[in-house]
Amino acid sequence: MSTREGGTSAAEHAYQQIRRQILNGTHVPGTMLGEAALAAELEVSRTPVRVALARLQDEGWIAIYPKRGALVQGVDERTIVELADARFVLETTGVDRAPEALRRQLADRLDGLIEKQRQAFDAGDIATFIDLTLEFHRGFVESSGNSVLIELYGQLSDRHRFILFTAGDRLLARWEEIITEHVALTDHLRGGNTEAFSQALRDHIAEVAAP
């Protein structure tokens, strides 16, 4: 198998690039991707593109139609709701189990992320804001210090990123409310008010999980 500079295989390179373009909204749901066009864009042969597309189909990101191409799949309403449920369980569990010293340390770090989120919104940089949001919410799980919870949460990050990109216009329209909600979540974390944190998180997640 051919390799690119740095030892990355052509198939792995194609997979990473196409996957990134799906997650960041370059290839929106309903787009039909062709092997030849992708190969030309990525400067590889069609064989590694074919391998990459097969892998992406196994992961549910595309559906391959022989002789036609690969159709980018969306995330259906049920998946969005189920993702919201899973995130709620993992994030609240992380905060419930966080020792006080770690909670306060994390809250200070989240204050810094919130300020960066404000800057991203001011610049209209939705991609940076989404990266910061993923890091912000992951922090609640990391506060538990439980490596298994953190690993499980990491497995949700691609779907979470995809959903946030599809909701990009709505995020920009209500950025002030989002920042206010992030501040409230951080304050509840710092104060150890897990019940208030749980309710605030449920309401916050529901804004994105709503149909």
Side-chain angles (χ1 to χ4, degrees):
M1 182 176 292
S2 62
T3 59
R4 299 176 62 85
E5 184 179 352
T8 302
S9 73
E12 179 66 21
H13 169 73
Y15 164 77
Q16 293 291 347
Q17 289 295 106
I18 299 168
R19 176 174 168 274
R20 183 178 299 112
Q21 291 171 340
I22 292 173
L23 293 180
N24 68 18
T26 300
H27 300 315
V28 298
T31 300
M32 185 67 78
L33 305 176
E35 285 184 7
L38 289 171
E41 176 189 344
L42 301 174
E43 300 181 340
V44 297
S45 70
R46 294 178 66 164
T47 298
V49 169
R50 191 174 302 121
V51 172
L53 292 177
R55 185 174 170 186
L56 289 164
Q57 178 172 245
D58 289 342
E59 295 176 355
W61 293 113
I62 63 171
I64 296 174
Y65 295 89
K67 299 182 180 180
R68 292 179 56 195
L71 184 69
V72 178
Q73 302 293 289
V75 176
D76 60 28
E77 182 179 322
R78 177 171 179 172
T79 300
I80 292 174
V81 172
E82 290 178 345
L83 175 66
D85 286 343
R87 286 184 50 221
F88 177 78
V89 170
L90 291 173
E91 292 181 35
T92 53
T93 299
V95 171
D96 282 343
R97 300 188 177 185
E100 181 178 358
L102 194 53
R103 278 194 294 100
R104 293 182 178 277
Q105 180 182 3
L106 173 63
D108 291 341
R109 180 163 70 87
L110 296 186
D111 285 338
L113 289 177
I114 290 172
E115 182 55 37
K116 291 179 180 179
Q117 290 167 8
R118 287 194 177 97
Q119 295 170 7
F121 272 126
D122 287 343
D125 187 349
I126 192 67
T128 296
F129 170 75
I130 288 173
D131 286 340
L132 291 167
T133 293
L134 292 171
E135 184 179 355
F136 178 85
H137 282 279
R138 179 184 173 88
F140 297 131
V141 185
E142 291 176 337
S143 69
S144 69
N146 186 312
S147 61
V148 175
L149 289 179
I150 295 169
E151 180 182 354
L152 289 172
Y153 196 81
Q155 294 173 10
L156 307 178
S157 62
D158 283 349
R159 302 288 174 186
H160 189 191
R161 182 185 301 276
F162 181 85
I163 290 169
L164 288 174
F165 266 109
T166 60
D169 290 343
R170 185 146 56 99
L171 295 180
L172 286 173
R174 62 180 304 272
W175 74 268
E176 290 180 302
E177 293 100 314
I178 292 172
I179 293 295
T180 298
E181 290 163 10
H182 283 182
V183 170
L185 287 168
T186 303
D187 288 344
H188 294 320
L189 172 69
R190 180 179 283 108
N193 191 338
T194 56
E195 183 176 346
F197 175 88
S198 178
Q199 185 57 57
L201 180 65
R202 185 183 297 279
D203 294 340
H204 177 67
I205 289 178
E207 289 293 336
V208 175

